[in-house]
Amino acid sequence: MYAVKDVKISAFLKPFPAEHDGLAERSFDNAVEDPQSPLSEFPEDFQLWKISIFNDETGNFDKIEHVLITDAMSCKLRHTRRDQLKEVKNG
């Protein structure tokens, strides 16, 4: 289970499931790329955290120490570098 943390208000937003860190990061990355998203508008304020693990044997969520996966500023920088490389290749 994953959640976005708004560091400006020091609170986690609604959690969401993902089977792997990479899938959660991809969803977060898509939100950061969306110009209508607050994650895109204020990237310095948002982080993606892994907050629990679903145990498919027990049907429970196992508590874990929260793990920072990425932050919106890192995603924005990756997008900028990717776009610059595309320009160089096409230019």
Side-chain angles (χ1 to χ4, degrees):
M1 189 65 71
Y2 299 84
V4 174
K5 183 174 184 179
D6 183 335
V7 298
K8 185 74 81 178
I9 62 171
S10 194
F12 286 94
L13 307 180
K14 183 179 177 182
F16 65 95
E19 290 186 27
H20 304 283
D21 292 353
L23 293 175
E25 189 171 357
R26 184 181 297 153
S27 294
F28 182 76
D29 196 58
N30 286 339
V32 173
E33 269 197 294
D34 180 357
Q36 302 299 315
S37 169
L39 280 73
S40 180
E41 190 173 355
F42 305 104
E44 64 279 1
D45 293 345
F46 297 98
Q47 302 170 329
L48 175 64
W49 288 81
K50 186 177 201 171
I51 59 170
S52 69
I53 297 173
F54 179 70
N55 184 323
D56 59 2
E57 291 180 14
T58 65
N60 294 320
F61 288 98
D62 294 338
K63 290 182 181 182
I64 62 168
E65 188 170 326
H66 293 174
V67 178
L68 177 64
I69 303 298
T70 191
D71 60 76
M73 281 302 294
S74 295
C75 292
K76 281 286 212 184
L77 290 172
R78 263 196 321 272
H79 298 166
T80 300
R81 280 188 238 121
R82 181 196 63 208
D83 293 344
Q84 289 172 340
L85 287 173
K86 283 182 183 177
E87 286 179 19
V88 168
K89 285 183 179 181
N90 295 330

